[in-house]
Every structure is written in structure tokens, then in C-alpha cells.
Amino acid sequence: AWADRAGGTSGALWGAALRALGESLGDRAAPAAADVAAGVTEAAAAVRRLGGAEVGDKTMVDVLAPFAETLTSAAEAGARTADAWDRAATAAGTAAAATAELLPRRGRARPHAERSLGTPDAGAHSLALIVRAVHPALAGPAAPTDRPTTKDTP
């Protein structure tokens, strides 16, 4: 459904990424951090194969690659899934911002060439936002911040 609604190349790339991630994770057990990292690595490989982009091309790959690498490193260091994802999402945000300094060699920004300098790649930026938005689901329910304190109760 995501691939159908995203449309264009973006939809196909998201479809390939989500399919690869889902196939890697399966549906038999809750995945450990290393399993999630392996699934994200598979998703990144699928996007690279289908789209032909590499790091430095000013595409979502500029975020997906460091996200996968950071997630894998954190998982290998023993981090819990939510903590590993948080570190990787931070790396993704940094990588997305850095695409502003790249000249597009692939993707829909390519025709804009030098005019795109100073503007982050839209696909890279949206991927960074999405992986950050997923983190709370992995971290579990947040503690309420609006609990009444003893000062607030009569």
C-alpha cells in the first residue's frame, strides 16, 4: 500500500525497502536488535539495487546507509533495539541535513543540479523524519508528563 500511494520511483523504492525488511524480520518472533539491524541492512541493499543510487548521490540512500550502519554498530555493541534505533535515527538526521551540500547525481533532484545546493534532499529528509517517528513505538509507552504532583492536588 505504501508503494502504491507514494507513487513514482519513491513508491517503488519504499516498497522494495519495506518488503526486504519484512522478509528479513519475518513474523514468528519479536526481533532482537541484531535482527532489526540485519533487516534494515537488507532494506538498504534492496533500495540500492533497485534505484542504483549510492552514498553521495543526494538521495534517500545518503540517509539509509548511515542509518543501517549505525543501527548495526549499536546492536553489535549490545544496545537494546530502542536505544540502537535512537542512535541510528540521530545519525539519519545528521546525514539528511548533510545532503544540502551534495550535488544530485540520481533521483528527482538531479535536473536541479547546482540549484539544489543548500537544500536537503526531500527523500533523505523524509526518511530521517520517518525513522525518528518510529522510535517511540520501539521505546514503549512514555511516562506521563502531566501527572499531578502533591502541589497540584488539594
Side-chain angles (χ1 to χ4, degrees):
W2 189 320
D4 290 342
R5 291 193 179 250
T9 304
S10 230
L13 294 173
W14 274 106
L18 292 171
R19 178 180 296 272
L21 178 61
E23 287 175 354
S24 178
L25 293 178
D27 62 358
R28 301 265 183 226
D35 301 323
V36 173
V40 170
T41 298
E42 286 298 318
V47 167
R48 283 175 152 158
R49 274 191 308 274
L50 183 61
E54 292 297 332
V55 172
D57 286 344
K58 195 169 186 167
T59 69
M60 69 189 299
V61 171
D62 290 299
V63 169
L64 194 50
F67 177 73
E69 291 163 6
T70 303
L71 188 61
T72 298
S73 294
E76 287 173 351
R80 293 182 17 227
T81 302
D83 296 334
W85 192 278
D86 183 47
R87 289 182 210 161
T90 298
T94 301
T99 64
E101 304 308 315
L102 297 175
L103 282 172
R105 295 187 299 223
R106 287 262 201 219
R108 83 181 97 184
R110 188 182 57 189
H112 300 291
E114 288 83 15
R115 292 177 299 185
S116 77
L117 284 175
T119 303
D121 179 71
H125 183 69
S126 63
L127 176 58
L129 291 174
I130 290 166
V131 297
R132 177 50 67 197
V134 167
H135 179 254
L138 297 173
T145 57
D146 59 352
R147 276 192 218 158
T149 64
T150 53
K151 280 176 32 176
D152 297 331
T153 56

